[in-house]
Amino acid sequence: MTTFLAVVLTTLFSVTALLALIRLYRGPSLIDRVVAADMLLATMVGAVGAEAAVNRHATTLPVLVVLSMLGFVGSVSLVRFAVRDEGEEA
């Protein structure tokens, strides 16, 4: 049962990461690319968390914390940058 769960989770996370990478590559605007990068990072956090849950260990908790902080700080800083650029154009 654990192997089946791992295969299903791996497939879902892989498809999600692939779709986020496609949007990251094709995104016509900066905001599309920022959302895609944030989604890719969220997928990575979910994959690491699922791996920790399936294998029943908590040694990856610092990795999850760092990835979550990186995603939050990166998203906030890029949105602030995009909003500032929009304000200068008006």
Side-chain angles (χ1 to χ4, degrees):
M1 184 66 182
T2 305
T3 305
F4 176 73
L5 180 64
V7 168
V8 168
L9 287 173
T10 302
T11 304
L12 289 175
F13 283 127
S14 298
V15 168
T16 305
L18 180 66
L19 291 173
L21 283 172
I22 290 171
R23 177 49 59 193
L24 190 64
Y25 177 72
R26 295 183 63 195
S29 69
L30 177 67
I31 299 299
D32 288 334
R33 288 188 169 99
V34 168
V35 170
D38 196 35
M39 185 63 205
L40 187 60
L41 197 59
T43 303
M44 289 171 45
V45 168
V48 171
E51 186 272 331
V54 167
N55 292 330
R56 296 183 184 259
H57 60 77
T59 57
T60 56
L61 186 61
V63 174
L64 288 173
V65 171
V66 168
L67 283 175
S68 298
M69 287 175 51
L70 179 68
F72 175 74
V73 171
S75 294
V76 169
S77 62
L78 285 173
V79 167
R80 287 189 64 173
F81 173 73
V83 167
R84 186 178 57 191
D85 280 352
E86 268 185 21
E88 290 176 2
E89 290 176 6

Short mmCIF file of all heavy atoms in Angstrom, two decimals, residues 1 4 8-9 11 17 20 29 31 36 38-41 43 47 49 52-53 57-58 65 73 78-79 82 86:
data_model
loop_
_atom_site.label_atom_id
_atom_site.label_comp_id
_atom_site.label_asym_id
_atom_site.label_seq_id
_atom_site.Cartn_x
_atom_site.Cartn_y
_atom_site.Cartn_z
N MET A 1 0.82 -1.20 0.00
CA MET A 1 0.00 0.00 0.00
C MET A 1 0.86 1.26 0.00
O MET A 1 0.53 2.23 -0.65
CB MET A 1 -0.92 -0.04 1.22
CG MET A 1 -1.89 1.12 1.27
SD MET A 1 -3.04 0.99 -0.10
CE MET A 1 -4.00 2.43 0.15
N PHE A 4 2.20 1.93 -3.51
CA PHE A 4 1.16 2.50 -4.37
C PHE A 4 0.96 3.98 -4.07
O PHE A 4 0.86 4.80 -4.99
CB PHE A 4 -0.15 1.72 -4.19
CG PHE A 4 -1.29 2.30 -4.97
CD1 PHE A 4 -1.34 2.17 -6.34
CD2 PHE A 4 -2.29 3.00 -4.33
CE1 PHE A 4 -2.38 2.72 -7.07
CE2 PHE A 4 -3.33 3.56 -5.03
CZ PHE A 4 -3.38 3.40 -6.42
N VAL A 8 1.58 7.13 -6.67
CA VAL A 8 0.52 8.10 -6.98
C VAL A 8 0.98 9.51 -6.64
O VAL A 8 0.80 10.45 -7.44
CB VAL A 8 -0.78 7.74 -6.22
CG1 VAL A 8 -1.79 8.86 -6.29
CG2 VAL A 8 -1.37 6.45 -6.77
N LEU A 9 1.58 9.69 -5.47
CA LEU A 9 2.06 11.01 -5.08
C LEU A 9 3.16 11.52 -6.02
O LEU A 9 3.17 12.69 -6.40
CB LEU A 9 2.57 10.99 -3.64
CG LEU A 9 1.50 10.91 -2.56
CD1 LEU A 9 2.14 10.73 -1.20
CD2 LEU A 9 0.64 12.15 -2.58
N THR A 11 3.61 10.71 -9.15
CA THR A 11 2.99 11.06 -10.43
C THR A 11 2.29 12.41 -10.35
O THR A 11 2.46 13.26 -11.24
CB THR A 11 1.98 9.97 -10.83
OG1 THR A 11 2.65 8.70 -10.87
CG2 THR A 11 1.37 10.27 -12.19
N ALA A 17 4.54 19.78 -11.28
CA ALA A 17 5.80 20.48 -11.54
C ALA A 17 5.99 20.72 -13.04
O ALA A 17 6.45 21.80 -13.44
CB ALA A 17 6.97 19.67 -10.99
N ALA A 20 3.76 23.61 -14.03
CA ALA A 20 4.31 24.87 -13.53
C ALA A 20 5.52 25.30 -14.36
O ALA A 20 5.69 26.49 -14.65
CB ALA A 20 4.70 24.73 -12.07
N SER A 29 3.58 37.25 -19.08
CA SER A 29 3.89 38.40 -18.23
C SER A 29 4.73 37.97 -17.03
O SER A 29 4.87 36.79 -16.73
CB SER A 29 2.60 39.07 -17.75
OG SER A 29 1.93 38.23 -16.84
N ILE A 31 4.00 38.51 -13.91
CA ILE A 31 3.14 37.96 -12.86
C ILE A 31 2.86 36.48 -13.11
O ILE A 31 2.84 35.68 -12.16
CB ILE A 31 1.83 38.78 -12.76
CG1 ILE A 31 2.12 40.23 -12.41
CG2 ILE A 31 0.88 38.17 -11.75
CD1 ILE A 31 2.81 40.42 -11.08
N ALA A 36 3.91 30.97 -11.38
CA ALA A 36 4.41 29.64 -11.75
C ALA A 36 5.60 29.23 -10.88
O ALA A 36 5.69 28.08 -10.45
CB ALA A 36 4.80 29.62 -13.22
N ASP A 38 6.20 30.29 -7.85
CA ASP A 38 5.65 30.03 -6.52
C ASP A 38 4.96 28.67 -6.48
O ASP A 38 5.07 27.93 -5.49
CB ASP A 38 4.69 31.15 -6.14
CG ASP A 38 4.40 31.17 -4.66
OD1 ASP A 38 5.32 30.85 -3.87
OD2 ASP A 38 3.26 31.51 -4.29
N MET A 39 4.25 28.33 -7.54
CA MET A 39 3.60 27.02 -7.61
C MET A 39 4.62 25.90 -7.67
O MET A 39 4.44 24.85 -7.04
CB MET A 39 2.69 26.97 -8.85
CG MET A 39 1.88 25.73 -8.95
SD MET A 39 0.76 25.62 -7.57
CE MET A 39 0.51 23.88 -7.50
N LEU A 40 5.71 26.11 -8.38
CA LEU A 40 6.77 25.10 -8.43
C LEU A 40 7.40 24.90 -7.06
O LEU A 40 7.66 23.77 -6.64
CB LEU A 40 7.82 25.51 -9.45
CG LEU A 40 8.91 24.50 -9.76
CD1 LEU A 40 8.31 23.22 -10.32
CD2 LEU A 40 9.90 25.08 -10.75
N LEU A 41 7.62 25.98 -6.35
CA LEU A 41 8.18 25.88 -5.00
C LEU A 41 7.20 25.21 -4.04
O LEU A 41 7.60 24.39 -3.21
CB LEU A 41 8.57 27.26 -4.50
CG LEU A 41 9.52 27.30 -3.31
CD1 LEU A 41 10.82 26.59 -3.64
CD2 LEU A 41 9.81 28.73 -2.93
N THR A 43 5.01 23.01 -4.89
CA THR A 43 5.04 21.60 -5.26
C THR A 43 6.24 20.91 -4.64
O THR A 43 6.14 19.77 -4.16
CB THR A 43 5.08 21.46 -6.80
OG1 THR A 43 3.95 22.12 -7.35
CG2 THR A 43 5.07 20.01 -7.22
N ALA A 47 6.11 17.85 -2.09
CA ALA A 47 6.81 16.60 -2.38
C ALA A 47 7.74 16.20 -1.23
O ALA A 47 7.78 15.02 -0.84
CB ALA A 47 7.59 16.72 -3.68
N GLY A 49 7.42 17.15 1.89
CA GLY A 49 6.56 16.79 3.01
C GLY A 49 5.93 15.42 2.85
O GLY A 49 5.83 14.65 3.80
N ALA A 52 8.55 12.80 3.54
CA ALA A 52 8.77 12.66 4.97
C ALA A 52 7.62 11.89 5.63
O ALA A 52 7.85 11.08 6.54
CB ALA A 52 8.92 14.03 5.62
N ALA A 53 6.40 12.12 5.17
CA ALA A 53 5.25 11.42 5.74
C ALA A 53 5.24 9.94 5.36
O ALA A 53 4.95 9.08 6.20
CB ALA A 53 3.95 12.09 5.30
N HIS A 57 9.73 10.10 8.84
CA HIS A 57 10.86 10.73 9.51
C HIS A 57 10.71 12.24 9.45
O HIS A 57 10.04 12.79 8.58
CB HIS A 57 12.20 10.29 8.92
CG HIS A 57 12.38 10.61 7.48
ND1 HIS A 57 12.69 11.86 7.02
CD2 HIS A 57 12.29 9.83 6.38
CE1 HIS A 57 12.78 11.85 5.71
NE2 HIS A 57 12.52 10.63 5.29
N ALA A 58 11.32 12.90 10.41
CA ALA A 58 11.18 14.36 10.50
C ALA A 58 12.50 15.08 10.26
O ALA A 58 12.63 16.24 10.62
CB ALA A 58 10.64 14.73 11.87
N VAL A 65 11.11 24.22 6.15
CA VAL A 65 11.06 25.58 6.67
C VAL A 65 11.79 26.55 5.73
O VAL A 65 11.30 27.63 5.42
CB VAL A 65 11.63 25.64 8.10
CG1 VAL A 65 11.79 27.07 8.57
CG2 VAL A 65 10.73 24.87 9.06
N VAL A 73 9.28 34.94 0.92
CA VAL A 73 10.09 36.15 0.70
C VAL A 73 10.23 36.45 -0.79
O VAL A 73 10.13 37.60 -1.21
CB VAL A 73 11.47 36.00 1.38
CG1 VAL A 73 12.41 37.12 0.98
CG2 VAL A 73 11.31 35.95 2.89
N LEU A 78 8.99 39.98 -5.26
CA LEU A 78 8.70 40.14 -6.68
C LEU A 78 7.38 40.88 -6.92
O LEU A 78 7.28 41.68 -7.86
CB LEU A 78 8.66 38.77 -7.37
CG LEU A 78 10.04 38.16 -7.60
CD1 LEU A 78 9.92 36.75 -8.13
CD2 LEU A 78 10.86 39.01 -8.56
N VAL A 79 6.40 40.65 -6.06
CA VAL A 79 5.14 41.38 -6.21
C VAL A 79 5.35 42.86 -5.89
O VAL A 79 4.83 43.74 -6.58
CB VAL A 79 4.04 40.76 -5.32
CG1 VAL A 79 2.84 41.67 -5.21
CG2 VAL A 79 3.63 39.41 -5.89
N ALA A 82 6.91 44.33 -8.93
CA ALA A 82 5.97 44.47 -10.03
C ALA A 82 5.00 45.62 -9.79
O ALA A 82 4.68 46.38 -10.71
CB ALA A 82 5.20 43.17 -10.24
N GLU A 86 4.48 49.10 -12.03
CA GLU A 86 3.19 49.52 -12.54
C GLU A 86 2.88 50.95 -12.16
O GLU A 86 2.33 51.70 -12.93
CB GLU A 86 2.08 48.61 -12.01
CG GLU A 86 1.76 47.45 -12.89
CD GLU A 86 0.58 46.66 -12.37
OE1 GLU A 86 -0.23 47.19 -11.58
OE2 GLU A 86 0.46 45.50 -12.76
#
